[in-house]
């Protein structure tokens, strides 16, 4: 059975009921097929036939959706609760006939990129959560391995801090201006060696924010 975004959406309510401990709240309600995730999902065919490494996979929806497209998918997530939810999601859809034989989830930090073989990177709303050392490790490793990268960023976080409306955590790194806006992420991609960069912005905002997606390759 083909696993895709439509199939995920069709089964989302049943999935929520199946995982009673996650009947509401983050991350289940936060990361679903919506205005934020649709531009990323639409971009995933860019990884067709690739060995994809997703850093910060959350509960694993993107990694699950990449499995039928990619040659191999490796998902790294630091939070153990999210890893457990990922496995529950996987088992739920396997029970409906879907297969994810080329997908592996690991509870690991971004530093672990050096331990994995990949030629494509998925980085959705994660780079500003990494510290300077993690960004530096990722940058060096991706220069050697990655031929394609998709990034989703969150420029409204930087806009809000500049106008004084956001005083909490914005970014753990000061490299590339915190890696929140489009320009800083373009610079990050160019430093890795990406020469073709396409920017996609969903015109439908989510929570008064847009979540641009940068699709790149060498």
């Amino acid at each position: 059975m083909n696993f895709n975004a439509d199939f995920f959406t069709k089964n989302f309510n049943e999935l929520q009921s199946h995982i009673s401990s996650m009947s509401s709240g983050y991350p289940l309600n936060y990361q679903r097929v919506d205005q934020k995730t649709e531009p990323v999902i639409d971009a995933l065919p860019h990884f067709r036939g690739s060995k994809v490494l997703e850093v910060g996979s959350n509960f694993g929806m993107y990694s699950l959706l990449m499995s039928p497209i990619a040659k191999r998918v490796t998902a790294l997530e630091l939070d153990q609760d999210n890893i457990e939810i990922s496995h529950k999601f996987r088992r739920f859809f396997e029970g409906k006939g879907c297969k994810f034989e080329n997908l592996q989830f690991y509870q690991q930090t971004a530093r672990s990129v050096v331990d994995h073989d990949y030629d494509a990177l998925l980085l959705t709303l994660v780079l500003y959560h990494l510290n300077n050392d993690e960004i530096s490790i990722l940058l060096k490793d991706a220069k050697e391995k990655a031929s394609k990268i998709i990034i989703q960023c969150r420029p409204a976080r930087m806009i809000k801090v500049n106008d004084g409306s956001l005083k909490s955590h914005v970014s753990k790194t000061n490299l590339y201006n915190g890696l929140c806006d489009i320009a800083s992420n373009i610079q990050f991609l160019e430093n890795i060696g990406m020469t073709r960069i396409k920017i996609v912005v969903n015109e439908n905002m989510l929570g008064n924010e847009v979540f641009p997606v940068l699709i790149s390759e060498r």
Side-chain angles (χ1 to χ4, degrees):
M1 183 179 295
N2 186 28
F3 181 77
N4 53 39
D6 289 338
F7 188 72
F8 183 91
T9 302
K10 181 181 178 181
N11 289 276
F12 187 75
N13 289 337
E14 185 182 349
L15 176 63
Q16 284 185 305
S17 299
H18 176 72
I19 304 175
S20 58
S21 63
M22 290 299 302
S23 58
S24 63
Y26 180 88
L28 183 57
N29 284 350
Y30 181 73
Q31 187 169 342
R32 59 185 186 277
V33 178
D34 57 21
Q35 297 98 315
K36 176 174 67 70
T37 60
E38 283 173 348
V40 178
I41 294 169
D42 289 344
L44 293 182
H46 186 58
F47 289 152
R48 190 173 302 280
S50 299
K51 295 178 289 185
V52 185
L53 179 68
E54 181 178 10
V55 179
S57 59
N58 207 302
F59 73 85
M61 182 180 72
Y62 293 138
S63 287
L64 290 166
L65 289 170
M66 281 189 292
S67 180
I69 298 170
K71 181 177 181 180
R72 185 174 70 239
V73 180
T74 305
L76 309 184
E77 170 58 43
L78 178 60
D79 190 281
Q80 179 60 37
D81 290 339
N82 286 347
I83 288 288
E84 291 176 2
I85 294 166
S86 299
H87 290 307
K88 290 179 180 178
F89 282 20
R90 177 176 186 161
R91 290 192 294 270
F92 174 83
F93 287 109
E94 284 175 339
K96 292 183 173 293
C98 300
K99 296 184 182 299
F100 308 101
E101 296 173 350
N102 62 344
L103 168 61
Q104 290 292 328
F105 291 106
Y106 295 93
Q107 185 189 5
Q108 294 179 345
T109 70
R111 295 173 182 272
S112 300
V113 296
V114 298
D115 299 322
H116 295 282
D117 175 32
Y118 62 91
D119 55 27
L121 271 173
L122 180 62
L123 306 162
T124 62
L125 305 177
V126 68
L127 286 176
Y128 56 84
H129 287 300
L130 307 183
N131 61 38
N132 287 350
D133 288 343
E134 290 170 325
I135 293 294
S136 297
I137 290 170
L138 179 60
L139 182 69
K140 180 180 179 181
D141 201 60
K143 282 182 181 179
E144 299 177 358
K145 297 177 182 177
S147 61
K148 297 179 180 180
I149 299 176
I150 294 175
I151 292 175
Q152 187 172 48
C153 59
R154 194 173 181 180
R157 293 178 72 89
M158 192 58 69
I159 293 171
K160 288 180 179 179
V161 77
N162 287 338
D163 70 15
S165 61
L166 180 64
K167 301 184 184 301
S168 60
H169 163 71
V170 175
S171 180
K172 289 184 178 179
T173 181
N174 56 18
L175 300 177
Y176 300 97
N177 196 33
L179 282 163
C180 287
D181 62 9
I182 293 173
S184 62
N185 279 274
I186 289 176
Q187 184 181 0
F188 175 78
L189 289 169
E190 289 178 342
N191 286 162
I192 289 173
M194 302 296 115
T195 59
R196 287 175 284 182
I197 302 171
K198 176 182 178 182
I199 301 169
V200 178
V201 180
N202 193 331
E203 62 183 20
N204 297 311
M205 294 192 296
L206 180 66
N208 296 319
E209 287 193 60
V210 295
F211 297 85
V213 175
L214 289 76
I215 307 163
S216 68
E217 59 187 315
R218 290 189 185 274

